[in-house]
Amino acid sequence: MSLSWLPHNLEERLNRTLDRQVKLAVTGLSRSGKTVFITSLVHQLLQGIENPHLPYFSVVSSGRVQGVKLMSQPDLHIPAFRYDVAIEKLYDNPPTWSEPTKGISEIRLAIRYKVENSLLKRISPVNTLFLDIIDYPGEWLLDLPLLELNFEAWSQQIAKLCDKEPRLTLSQPWREFIATFDLSEPANDTILRQASALYTEFLYQCKSPQYGLSLLQPGHFTMPGELKGAPILEFCPIFTLPSSEIKENSFYAVLKKRYEAYKEQVVKKFYVEHFSSFDRQIVLADVLRSFNTGYASFADMRDALDLVLKSFTYGKSGLLNKLFGLKIDKLLFAATKADHVTPNQLPNLERFIEQMLAQAQNNVKFEGVKTATLALASVKCTQAAYTNFQGQKISCIKGVPLESEQPIALFPGEVPVDIPLPEEWVEGRFHFLEFKPPRLSHANGRGLPHIRLDRALEFLLGDKF
Ligand SMILES: Nc1nc2c(ncn2[C@@H]2O[C@H](COP(=O)(O)OP(=O)(O)OP(=O)(O)O)[C@@H](O)[C@H]2O)c(=O)[nH]1
Ligand SMILES: [Mg+2]
């Protein structure tokens, strides 16, 4: 049945009520694989009818999909997800990956499918599901906990993090700078700008591949999106309280005011405008990269992901939820780039992330959200292979490393089943390399090769058809 005679927003509302529209949000920290995941997902679905690459996505494998089409997106104020650019790059010769993305974007697909339910079938044998996919930086979820913290409590948390290496050394220039002025003195814009620039620089250094830290707040400082250069990002935490009485125009008072404005105008705005409207959520994490960097990077990523997952419980039972509601009822946590490990290591990788997030997942389940963990590769860039080492047959992977032209066979290291102790995290234990995308061809209609993307789709969307 066409609803084109309805005014636009009414049609949207009706689609949602009739369960014909679903908002699938895709997030993860920088470089976790969001763009590649969405590109592969859209590509797989556009392959549509009887796509042999999606055996575990039941609506497709049972032959019920009649067709899939890209549509113009419903939210005109959100930038478009550039599927066209990303897929062209993957099909190029040589194929390349997409550029990093900086903020939120959206894409809409219409999926026409045969209805299975015998009762509904009588009303309408064929239905259309509008799937809106939203890509947004996971860093923004690190901001939601700020809503429950005042400036002093947040500053204390940051101070505690900076007690330990590598933050202790990296934060030195910023800490030395803020120690040079008295917080009870009248504020000066130039000094405030310098202080926040040094703090932001400290966050970027923590994030650099050398240190690979993830728990970086405020999240918009390293992922500003459209707020790049805006004065609302010009503040930083403090280490000591002012020595004398606090005047309204003092450094201390201004920093506190800006922190509160950030919470109100940036964090809450994201919650109300976007987060509260999502139906389903997938959180992606490049766990293997943190293995390479060492224990500090791994532990920091785990803490950051714990905090990210808390956003969903916090949303469900917190004050904002009472005011604005939080719809997410299914949450999938996925370790990406599973083609970086040998196929026999996949179960280990899945057990590892399951354990790593057990506590956080439990809390989310408690709030009535269905959760699952999975290891996947949106685009499989390696092949399983074997090599001989000292007379023994060893399982390895074969692919073209990002910095090279020639394929190599590599044993990347065993994924531990249990989380290793800090002292077991010896240097050189893991060699998880980045790979070039595989050469693809339009001509033979082969979809992008992947690992377990269909299982992710089944968990996230299977019940909507
Ligand atoms: N081998 C392999 N590499 C992948 C896969 N997905 C992503 N990558 C690699 O990870 C990089 C980052 O992927 P993106 O999808 O751009 O990550 P993102 O989360 O969108 O990154 P930002 O936009 O910078 O936040 C890519 O350039 C690839 O090198 C995958 O499925 N397999
Ligand atoms: Mg991206």
Side-chain angles (χ1 to χ4, degrees), residues 207-233:
K207 193 174 178 172
S208 66
Q210 189 182 352
Y211 301 103
L213 300 183
S214 309
L215 211 176
L216 307 172
Q217 288 172 321
H220 279 77
F221 277 38
T222 55
M223 266 293 159
E226 61 190 13
L227 293 174
K228 197 168 191 301
I232 197 144
L233 303 188

PDB file of all heavy atoms in Angstrom, residues 207-233:
ATOM      1  N   LYS A 207      45.725   9.146  22.086  1.00  0.00           N
ATOM      2  CA  LYS A 207      45.015   8.390  21.043  1.00  0.00           C
ATOM      3  C   LYS A 207      45.964   7.883  19.938  1.00  0.00           C
ATOM      4  O   LYS A 207      45.607   6.954  19.201  1.00  0.00           O
ATOM      5  CB  LYS A 207      43.975   9.343  20.422  1.00  0.00           C
ATOM      6  CG  LYS A 207      42.965   8.670  19.557  1.00  0.00           C
ATOM      7  CD  LYS A 207      41.922   9.672  19.113  1.00  0.00           C
ATOM      8  CE  LYS A 207      40.922   9.030  18.194  1.00  0.00           C
ATOM      9  NZ  LYS A 207      39.791   9.879  17.884  1.00  0.00           N
ATOM     10  N   SER A 208      47.165   8.491  19.830  1.00  0.00           N
ATOM     11  CA  SER A 208      48.067   8.148  18.720  1.00  0.00           C
ATOM     12  C   SER A 208      48.388   6.650  18.739  1.00  0.00           C
ATOM     13  O   SER A 208      48.347   6.019  19.797  1.00  0.00           O
ATOM     14  CB  SER A 208      49.346   8.971  18.821  1.00  0.00           C
ATOM     15  OG  SER A 208      50.036   8.561  19.992  1.00  0.00           O
ATOM     16  N   PRO A 209      48.700   6.072  17.549  1.00  0.00           N
ATOM     17  CA  PRO A 209      48.951   4.625  17.497  1.00  0.00           C
ATOM     18  C   PRO A 209      49.995   4.159  18.508  1.00  0.00           C
ATOM     19  O   PRO A 209      49.912   3.049  19.021  1.00  0.00           O
ATOM     20  CB  PRO A 209      49.451   4.410  16.063  1.00  0.00           C
ATOM     21  CG  PRO A 209      48.923   5.561  15.291  1.00  0.00           C
ATOM     22  CD  PRO A 209      48.814   6.714  16.235  1.00  0.00           C
ATOM     23  N   GLN A 210      50.949   5.025  18.840  1.00  0.00           N
ATOM     24  CA  GLN A 210      52.010   4.627  19.781  1.00  0.00           C
ATOM     25  C   GLN A 210      51.438   4.226  21.146  1.00  0.00           C
ATOM     26  O   GLN A 210      51.900   3.282  21.777  1.00  0.00           O
ATOM     27  CB  GLN A 210      52.980   5.791  19.949  1.00  0.00           C
ATOM     28  CG  GLN A 210      54.218   5.405  20.718  1.00  0.00           C
ATOM     29  CD  GLN A 210      55.138   6.609  20.920  1.00  0.00           C
ATOM     30  OE1 GLN A 210      54.904   7.690  20.344  1.00  0.00           O
ATOM     31  NE2 GLN A 210      56.172   6.438  21.727  1.00  0.00           N
ATOM     32  N   TYR A 211      50.413   4.979  21.617  1.00  0.00           N
ATOM     33  CA  TYR A 211      49.862   4.694  22.950  1.00  0.00           C
ATOM     34  C   TYR A 211      48.499   3.998  22.877  1.00  0.00           C
ATOM     35  O   TYR A 211      48.134   3.253  23.787  1.00  0.00           O
ATOM     36  CB  TYR A 211      49.755   5.985  23.770  1.00  0.00           C
ATOM     37  CG  TYR A 211      51.106   6.634  23.936  1.00  0.00           C
ATOM     38  CD1 TYR A 211      51.473   7.747  23.182  1.00  0.00           C
ATOM     39  CD2 TYR A 211      52.042   6.082  24.804  1.00  0.00           C
ATOM     40  CE1 TYR A 211      52.731   8.309  23.305  1.00  0.00           C
ATOM     41  CE2 TYR A 211      53.311   6.639  24.931  1.00  0.00           C
ATOM     42  CZ  TYR A 211      53.645   7.756  24.168  1.00  0.00           C
ATOM     43  OH  TYR A 211      54.891   8.295  24.280  1.00  0.00           O
ATOM     44  N   GLY A 212      47.753   4.294  21.833  1.00  0.00           N
ATOM     45  CA  GLY A 212      46.486   3.588  21.578  1.00  0.00           C
ATOM     46  C   GLY A 212      45.489   3.630  22.718  1.00  0.00           C
ATOM     47  O   GLY A 212      44.784   2.656  22.952  1.00  0.00           O
ATOM     48  N   LEU A 213      45.385   4.761  23.431  1.00  0.00           N
ATOM     49  CA  LEU A 213      44.415   4.832  24.530  1.00  0.00           C
ATOM     50  C   LEU A 213      43.033   5.227  23.988  1.00  0.00           C
ATOM     51  O   LEU A 213      42.921   5.891  22.962  1.00  0.00           O
ATOM     52  CB  LEU A 213      44.870   5.837  25.586  1.00  0.00           C
ATOM     53  CG  LEU A 213      46.219   5.525  26.242  1.00  0.00           C
ATOM     54  CD1 LEU A 213      46.544   6.550  27.320  1.00  0.00           C
ATOM     55  CD2 LEU A 213      46.248   4.124  26.850  1.00  0.00           C
ATOM     56  N   SER A 214      42.005   4.816  24.706  1.00  0.00           N
ATOM     57  CA  SER A 214      40.634   5.011  24.211  1.00  0.00           C
ATOM     58  C   SER A 214      39.758   5.847  25.124  1.00  0.00           C
ATOM     59  O   SER A 214      38.831   6.510  24.669  1.00  0.00           O
ATOM     60  CB  SER A 214      39.934   3.654  24.060  1.00  0.00           C
ATOM     61  OG  SER A 214      40.706   2.774  23.320  1.00  0.00           O
ATOM     62  N   LEU A 215      40.025   5.785  26.442  1.00  0.00           N
ATOM     63  CA  LEU A 215      39.114   6.464  27.372  1.00  0.00           C
ATOM     64  C   LEU A 215      39.477   7.958  27.435  1.00  0.00           C
ATOM     65  O   LEU A 215      40.193   8.408  28.326  1.00  0.00           O
ATOM     66  CB  LEU A 215      39.229   5.819  28.761  1.00  0.00           C
ATOM     67  CG  LEU A 215      37.967   5.827  29.611  1.00  0.00           C
ATOM     68  CD1 LEU A 215      38.171   5.081  30.898  1.00  0.00           C
ATOM     69  CD2 LEU A 215      37.392   7.179  29.865  1.00  0.00           C
ATOM     70  N   LEU A 216      38.990   8.684  26.439  1.00  0.00           N
ATOM     71  CA  LEU A 216      39.392  10.079  26.285  1.00  0.00           C
ATOM     72  C   LEU A 216      38.164  10.981  26.352  1.00  0.00           C
ATOM     73  O   LEU A 216      37.309  10.941  25.475  1.00  0.00           O
ATOM     74  CB  LEU A 216      40.121  10.257  24.951  1.00  0.00           C
ATOM     75  CG  LEU A 216      41.295   9.288  24.751  1.00  0.00           C
ATOM     76  CD1 LEU A 216      41.858   9.376  23.353  1.00  0.00           C
ATOM     77  CD2 LEU A 216      42.397   9.550  25.769  1.00  0.00           C
ATOM     78  N   GLN A 217      38.102  11.770  27.422  1.00  0.00           N
ATOM     79  CA  GLN A 217      36.932  12.657  27.621  1.00  0.00           C
ATOM     80  C   GLN A 217      37.376  14.102  27.675  1.00  0.00           C
ATOM     81  O   GLN A 217      38.460  14.385  28.185  1.00  0.00           O
ATOM     82  CB  GLN A 217      36.254  12.321  28.949  1.00  0.00           C
ATOM     83  CG  GLN A 217      35.502  11.014  28.969  1.00  0.00           C
ATOM     84  CD  GLN A 217      35.033  10.682  30.368  1.00  0.00           C
ATOM     85  OE1 GLN A 217      35.754  10.907  31.331  1.00  0.00           O
ATOM     86  NE2 GLN A 217      33.845  10.135  30.490  1.00  0.00           N
ATOM     87  N   PRO A 218      36.561  15.038  27.253  1.00  0.00           N
ATOM     88  CA  PRO A 218      35.270  14.864  26.579  1.00  0.00           C
ATOM     89  C   PRO A 218      35.446  14.282  25.168  1.00  0.00           C
ATOM     90  O   PRO A 218      36.389  14.637  24.465  1.00  0.00           O
ATOM     91  CB  PRO A 218      34.721  16.291  26.503  1.00  0.00           C
ATOM     92  CG  PRO A 218      35.526  17.095  27.467  1.00  0.00           C
ATOM     93  CD  PRO A 218      36.862  16.454  27.554  1.00  0.00           C
ATOM     94  N   GLY A 219      34.494  13.418  24.781  1.00  0.00           N
ATOM     95  CA  GLY A 219      34.607  12.714  23.511  1.00  0.00           C
ATOM     96  C   GLY A 219      34.659  13.628  22.296  1.00  0.00           C
ATOM     97  O   GLY A 219      35.331  13.325  21.315  1.00  0.00           O
ATOM     98  N   HIS A 220      33.972  14.778  22.360  1.00  0.00           N
ATOM     99  CA  HIS A 220      33.961  15.672  21.196  1.00  0.00           C
ATOM    100  C   HIS A 220      35.293  16.400  21.018  1.00  0.00           C
ATOM    101  O   HIS A 220      35.493  17.026  19.981  1.00  0.00           O
ATOM    102  CB  HIS A 220      32.834  16.705  21.313  1.00  0.00           C
ATOM    103  CG  HIS A 220      31.495  16.161  20.906  1.00  0.00           C
ATOM    104  ND1 HIS A 220      30.756  15.335  21.695  1.00  0.00           N
ATOM    105  CD2 HIS A 220      30.773  16.337  19.763  1.00  0.00           C
ATOM    106  CE1 HIS A 220      29.624  15.033  21.081  1.00  0.00           C
ATOM    107  NE2 HIS A 220      29.609  15.621  19.910  1.00  0.00           N
ATOM    108  N   PHE A 221      36.188  16.349  22.003  1.00  0.00           N
ATOM    109  CA  PHE A 221      37.469  17.041  21.839  1.00  0.00           C
ATOM    110  C   PHE A 221      38.316  16.393  20.742  1.00  0.00           C
ATOM    111  O   PHE A 221      39.012  17.072  20.003  1.00  0.00           O
ATOM    112  CB  PHE A 221      38.239  17.077  23.168  1.00  0.00           C
ATOM    113  CG  PHE A 221      37.804  18.203  24.078  1.00  0.00           C
ATOM    114  CD1 PHE A 221      36.476  18.577  24.166  1.00  0.00           C
ATOM    115  CD2 PHE A 221      38.736  18.907  24.848  1.00  0.00           C
ATOM    116  CE1 PHE A 221      36.066  19.616  24.990  1.00  0.00           C
ATOM    117  CE2 PHE A 221      38.340  19.950  25.679  1.00  0.00           C
ATOM    118  CZ  PHE A 221      37.004  20.303  25.745  1.00  0.00           C
ATOM    119  N   THR A 222      38.261  15.065  20.646  1.00  0.00           N
ATOM    120  CA  THR A 222      39.022  14.414  19.569  1.00  0.00           C
ATOM    121  C   THR A 222      38.117  14.052  18.384  1.00  0.00           C
ATOM    122  O   THR A 222      38.598  13.657  17.334  1.00  0.00           O
ATOM    123  CB  THR A 222      39.709  13.120  20.066  1.00  0.00           C
ATOM    124  OG1 THR A 222      38.717  12.264  20.634  1.00  0.00           O
ATOM    125  CG2 THR A 222      40.788  13.413  21.084  1.00  0.00           C
ATOM    126  N   MET A 223      36.812  14.161  18.567  1.00  0.00           N
ATOM    127  CA  MET A 223      35.845  13.879  17.489  1.00  0.00           C
ATOM    128  C   MET A 223      34.824  15.009  17.458  1.00  0.00           C
ATOM    129  O   MET A 223      33.648  14.824  17.795  1.00  0.00           O
ATOM    130  CB  MET A 223      35.113  12.568  17.816  1.00  0.00           C
ATOM    131  CG  MET A 223      35.735  11.375  17.201  1.00  0.00           C
ATOM    132  SD  MET A 223      35.571  11.453  15.414  1.00  0.00           S
ATOM    133  CE  MET A 223      36.875  10.345  14.972  1.00  0.00           C
ATOM    134  N   PRO A 224      35.247  16.228  17.081  1.00  0.00           N
ATOM    135  CA  PRO A 224      34.355  17.381  17.240  1.00  0.00           C
ATOM    136  C   PRO A 224      33.201  17.440  16.250  1.00  0.00           C
ATOM    137  O   PRO A 224      32.231  18.160  16.492  1.00  0.00           O
ATOM    138  CB  PRO A 224      35.285  18.579  17.056  1.00  0.00           C
ATOM    139  CG  PRO A 224      36.456  18.054  16.302  1.00  0.00           C
ATOM    140  CD  PRO A 224      36.573  16.599  16.597  1.00  0.00           C
ATOM    141  N   GLY A 225      33.280  16.695  15.143  1.00  0.00           N
ATOM    142  CA  GLY A 225      32.211  16.793  14.135  1.00  0.00           C
ATOM    143  C   GLY A 225      32.080  18.238  13.681  1.00  0.00           C
ATOM    144  O   GLY A 225      33.078  18.926  13.434  1.00  0.00           O
ATOM    145  N   GLU A 226      30.853  18.732  13.639  1.00  0.00           N
ATOM    146  CA  GLU A 226      30.623  20.102  13.155  1.00  0.00           C
ATOM    147  C   GLU A 226      31.055  21.168  14.174  1.00  0.00           C
ATOM    148  O   GLU A 226      31.018  22.363  13.877  1.00  0.00           O
ATOM    149  CB  GLU A 226      29.152  20.285  12.790  1.00  0.00           C
ATOM    150  CG  GLU A 226      28.242  20.081  13.981  1.00  0.00           C
ATOM    151  CD  GLU A 226      26.762  20.020  13.637  1.00  0.00           C
ATOM    152  OE1 GLU A 226      26.443  19.886  12.448  1.00  0.00           O
ATOM    153  OE2 GLU A 226      25.947  20.086  14.562  1.00  0.00           O
ATOM    154  N   LEU A 227      31.482  20.753  15.371  1.00  0.00           N
ATOM    155  CA  LEU A 227      31.866  21.727  16.409  1.00  0.00           C
ATOM    156  C   LEU A 227      33.350  22.083  16.373  1.00  0.00           C
ATOM    157  O   LEU A 227      33.847  22.761  17.275  1.00  0.00           O
ATOM    158  CB  LEU A 227      31.533  21.165  17.804  1.00  0.00           C
ATOM    159  CG  LEU A 227      30.056  20.989  18.110  1.00  0.00           C
ATOM    160  CD1 LEU A 227      29.858  20.302  19.446  1.00  0.00           C
ATOM    161  CD2 LEU A 227      29.353  22.356  18.116  1.00  0.00           C
ATOM    162  N   LYS A 228      34.056  21.631  15.350  1.00  0.00           N
ATOM    163  CA  LYS A 228      35.494  21.902  15.267  1.00  0.00           C
ATOM    164  C   LYS A 228      35.759  23.403  15.399  1.00  0.00           C
ATOM    165  O   LYS A 228      35.173  24.197  14.663  1.00  0.00           O
ATOM    166  CB  LYS A 228      36.025  21.391  13.926  1.00  0.00           C
ATOM    167  CG  LYS A 228      37.517  21.253  13.892  1.00  0.00           C
ATOM    168  CD  LYS A 228      37.910  20.479  12.640  1.00  0.00           C
ATOM    169  CE  LYS A 228      39.312  20.061  12.608  1.00  0.00           C
ATOM    170  NZ  LYS A 228      40.387  20.792  12.669  1.00  0.00           N
ATOM    171  N   GLY A 229      36.587  23.783  16.350  1.00  0.00           N
ATOM    172  CA  GLY A 229      36.955  25.192  16.546  1.00  0.00           C
ATOM    173  C   GLY A 229      35.926  25.990  17.330  1.00  0.00           C
ATOM    174  O   GLY A 229      36.130  27.180  17.577  1.00  0.00           O
ATOM    175  N   ALA A 230      34.814  25.378  17.744  1.00  0.00           N
ATOM    176  CA  ALA A 230      33.777  26.141  18.467  1.00  0.00           C
ATOM    177  C   ALA A 230      34.207  26.387  19.919  1.00  0.00           C
ATOM    178  O   ALA A 230      34.802  25.512  20.553  1.00  0.00           O
ATOM    179  CB  ALA A 230      32.460  25.374  18.440  1.00  0.00           C
ATOM    180  N   PRO A 231      33.908  27.608  20.445  1.00  0.00           N
ATOM    181  CA  PRO A 231      34.348  27.944  21.811  1.00  0.00           C
ATOM    182  C   PRO A 231      33.763  27.026  22.883  1.00  0.00           C
ATOM    183  O   PRO A 231      34.322  26.922  23.961  1.00  0.00           O
ATOM    184  CB  PRO A 231      33.836  29.374  22.014  1.00  0.00           C
ATOM    185  CG  PRO A 231      33.404  29.855  20.692  1.00  0.00           C
ATOM    186  CD  PRO A 231      33.225  28.692  19.781  1.00  0.00           C
ATOM    187  N   ILE A 232      32.678  26.328  22.564  1.00  0.00           N
ATOM    188  CA  ILE A 232      32.084  25.447  23.583  1.00  0.00           C
ATOM    189  C   ILE A 232      33.046  24.298  23.944  1.00  0.00           C
ATOM    190  O   ILE A 232      32.917  23.666  24.979  1.00  0.00           O
ATOM    191  CB  ILE A 232      30.707  24.907  23.123  1.00  0.00           C
ATOM    192  CG1 ILE A 232      29.947  24.372  24.328  1.00  0.00           C
ATOM    193  CG2 ILE A 232      30.794  23.860  22.043  1.00  0.00           C
ATOM    194  CD1 ILE A 232      28.486  24.587  24.325  1.00  0.00           C
ATOM    195  N   LEU A 233      34.043  24.084  23.069  1.00  0.00           N
ATOM    196  CA  LEU A 233      35.038  23.042  23.365  1.00  0.00           C
ATOM    197  C   LEU A 233      36.270  23.635  24.068  1.00  0.00           C
ATOM    198  O   LEU A 233      37.279  22.953  24.231  1.00  0.00           O
ATOM    199  CB  LEU A 233      35.471  22.319  22.082  1.00  0.00           C
ATOM    200  CG  LEU A 233      34.375  21.656  21.238  1.00  0.00           C
ATOM    201  CD1 LEU A 233      34.977  20.825  20.113  1.00  0.00           C
ATOM    202  CD2 LEU A 233      33.470  20.757  22.078  1.00  0.00           C
TER     203      LEU A 233
END
